[in-house]
Amino acid sequence: MTTTTAVTVRVPAKVNLQLAVGPAREDGYHDLVNVFHAVALFDEVTVTGAATRPTGGPAGLTAEDASGGGLASHLARVPLDSTNLAWRAAELLARETGADTAVHLHVRKAIPVAGGMAGGSADAAAALVACDAFWGTGLQHRELLALAARLGSDVAFPLLGGTAVGTGRGEVLDPAECGARLHWVFALSAGGLSTPEVFAAYDRIRPGAPAPQGDPVLMTALAQGDARAVGAALGNDLQPAALELRPALAETLDAGRAAGALGAFVSGSGPTCAFLARSAEHAHQVAAAVRSAPDCVHTVTCHGDVPGAVVL
């Protein structure tokens, strides 16, 4: 194995264009049909050597706000220890490969924390790629995907990027075509929502949910690049649960709809709300409208889809 001075990996956020959720399984997970879409909102993970520890794996983790001030208050919720998924990713890779050089992880965050956009999962994916390059372990892409699946349901997709259909608990990925650039607005809330709590509320609201099914209408609209049809087909089975736990999100969604958004929905387990706009100019108009909603503290405009994790 070889080492280098530092490696930085950029990794995108995701939005779920469809999130169909089945009943709870015996292992506590839910079967999903999850249409992932990578958007141009990025975290960066930098790996450097750490002399404070004699064996491989992470010796420390730091984080900074890279959102222009929008996430400064969110950083307090980023764990800086072994409970961080990026830290666990580095530990897993060291354990699997025998890498014996300790590392420090630094995360520049522009993806909302606990916002339903897989920021923690994206950081874990970036840590896998960055540590693999730093340690020179030379894993194949399929091997990194397998490690990602062991870390969590959403960790594999940021390695792939683009648009993909996730099944199982979300970790089995099938790339899908997106025939046009889509323009997005994301409305961030002051506080996060716990994914386990949202799923628990879903189970209570919808006991005995049927097996999840994909939406061929959405997939056809994506392949044809028909943004209006995509907007009409967007769906999230977790949205009622997120709205039950955070009722104020309904006002944010209404504000986006009133501004002409082609689609308005809670992203993943929330509380970030996502809006599909007609164009980049229209996205700025929608963003201005939703900023007036009481629960919205910051907005981001960006486009998708974009590639997955890349070494800078």
Side-chain angles (χ1 to χ4, degrees), residues 13-32:
K14 61 84 179 171
V15 61
N16 303 105
L17 307 186
Q18 179 196 6
L19 181 52
V21 183
R25 309 186 320 196
E26 290 186 2
D27 62 4
Y29 289 101
H30 295 68
D31 282 321
L32 306 173

Side-chain angles (χ1 to χ4, degrees), residues 1-3 93-94 96-101 134-138:
M1 297 180 188
T2 60
T3 59
L93 186 63
E96 292 295 312
T97 63
D100 58 2
T101 302
F134 184 86
W135 286 322
T137 45

